[in-house]
Amino acid sequence: FRDAATGTVVERARSLFPGLGFAAGYKVVQRVYKFGGQPFVKDALASSGQGAFDALVGKRNSKSFMHALAGSIVGVGEVALLPLDVLKIRAQTNPEALRGKGMVQLFWKEGSGLY
C-alpha cells in the first residue's frame, strides 16, 4: 500500500485488494458452473436413466437420489476450477510474481503446479 500511497484513488484501492481479478473471475465461473450446471446434469440423468434410478432406490427416493448424484458430479468437476483459486492466493501473497503476466502465460508456465 505504501508504494501506491501517492497514486490515484484507483491505484490505492487496487493495492488494498491484490488478487481481486482472479478472485472475482474464480467466483463468477464457479457459481455459473455450479448453479447452472447441476440442473443440466440432473436433466441428463433423468432422461437417460429414470427407470434405473426408480429400480435402484425406489420411485419415492429416485428424485432425491438424482439431485444428490448431479450435485456430486458437478462438485467433482469443480476441481477443474481450482487453478484460478491458486492464482488468486498467489496474487494476494506475492503480487509481484504475477505482475505483467497473462492468464495463458501463467497456465503454460505453472502447468499442473496449480493443483
Side-chain angles (χ1 to χ4, degrees):
F1 184 74
R2 289 183 182 160
D3 296 337
T6 58
T8 66
V9 173
V10 173
E11 290 171 341
R12 287 184 285 179
R14 286 185 70 205
S15 72
L16 290 174
F17 303 104
L20 184 63
F22 290 118
Y26 170 66
K27 285 300 177 186
V28 168
V29 171
Q30 180 192 36
R31 297 297 193 251
V32 167
Y33 171 73
K34 188 188 309 185
F35 297 117
Q38 186 173 350
F40 288 110
V41 174
K42 190 212 54 93
D43 291 344
L45 291 172
S47 67
S48 65
Q50 180 69 49
F53 290 118
D54 289 347
L56 181 66
V57 295
K59 191 160 183 73
R60 180 176 175 197
N61 296 323
S62 66
K63 185 175 180 181
S64 296
F65 187 78
M66 278 191 296
H67 280 282
L69 184 59
S72 298
I73 291 169
V74 169
V76 168
E78 200 172 333
V79 170
L81 302 176
L82 289 179
L84 291 173
D85 194 37
V86 171
L87 288 174
K88 173 195 70 149
I89 293 167
R90 288 187 184 173
Q92 290 171 336
T93 57
N94 188 8
E96 292 302 319
L98 302 178
R99 192 171 312 273
K101 296 179 182 166
M103 239 359 193
V104 174
Q105 185 181 9
L106 289 170
F107 278 105
W108 184 261
K109 179 184 170 208
E110 296 291 333
S112 62
L114 292 173
Y115 286 97

